[in-house]
Amino acid sequence: MSLRSLVADDEPDIRDFIGHVLERAGHVVTLAGDGAEVLAHASAESYDLVVVDHHMPRMTGLAVADELRRTSPSTKVLIMSGDLDVGDEHRHFLPKPFNRNEFLAAVDTLLAAPGTG
């Protein structure tokens, strides 16, 4: 069964790139433009993985991760950001910029981790 993934970034090129990489890895991907859109999708459907940028309109990635931890505890969340301090607040963090291999390694590590993301 394919993993269901939700990708949120307010930069369309990054969002599309990540979505494409995940689709090539066999995921069924939904795209979102901001954190509030992530929560709307997550309230209607369940996802195995949410990849979210930290700096977005309406909600930060950390706020999205906190809300998903409460409402969808089995969903794993990977936060991306150029702000390295975000990694101090969320254990599954990928610093920007990154390449395809770094991204896939972070996703694999997260999906293999026990418990919630």
Side-chain angles (χ1 to χ4, degrees):
M1 189 165 98
S2 297
L3 291 172
R4 296 185 45 77
S5 297
L6 177 56
V7 175
D9 197 303
D10 57 328
E11 294 183 39
D13 289 345
I14 294 173
R15 182 175 61 234
D16 292 345
F17 166 74
I18 292 168
H20 176 75
V21 169
L22 288 172
E23 285 175 347
R24 297 262 327 228
H27 295 232
V28 174
V29 177
T30 301
L31 302 176
D34 63 44
E37 199 176 328
V38 168
L39 297 182
H41 282 294
S43 70
E45 298 182 53
S46 64
Y47 294 91
D48 301 294
L49 172 68
V50 172
V51 179
V52 61
D53 184 35
H54 177 60
H55 294 288
M56 291 189 300
R58 302 202 292 169
M59 285 186 89
T60 66
L62 285 171
V64 169
D66 288 344
E67 183 64 17
L68 288 175
R69 191 175 299 118
R70 189 179 67 73
T71 61
S72 182
S74 64
T75 300
K76 305 233 178 169
V77 179
L78 177 65
I79 297 179
M80 314 170 290
S81 180
D83 181 357
L84 299 181
D85 292 344
V86 174
D88 296 336
E89 299 182 50
H90 188 78
R91 66 182 172 173
H92 299 291
F93 169 73
L94 180 62
K96 284 183 173 181
F98 53 82
N99 64 36
R100 179 183 188 278
N101 292 334
E102 291 166 332
F103 173 72
L104 286 172
V107 167
D108 288 346
T109 298
L110 173 56
L111 292 175
T116 61

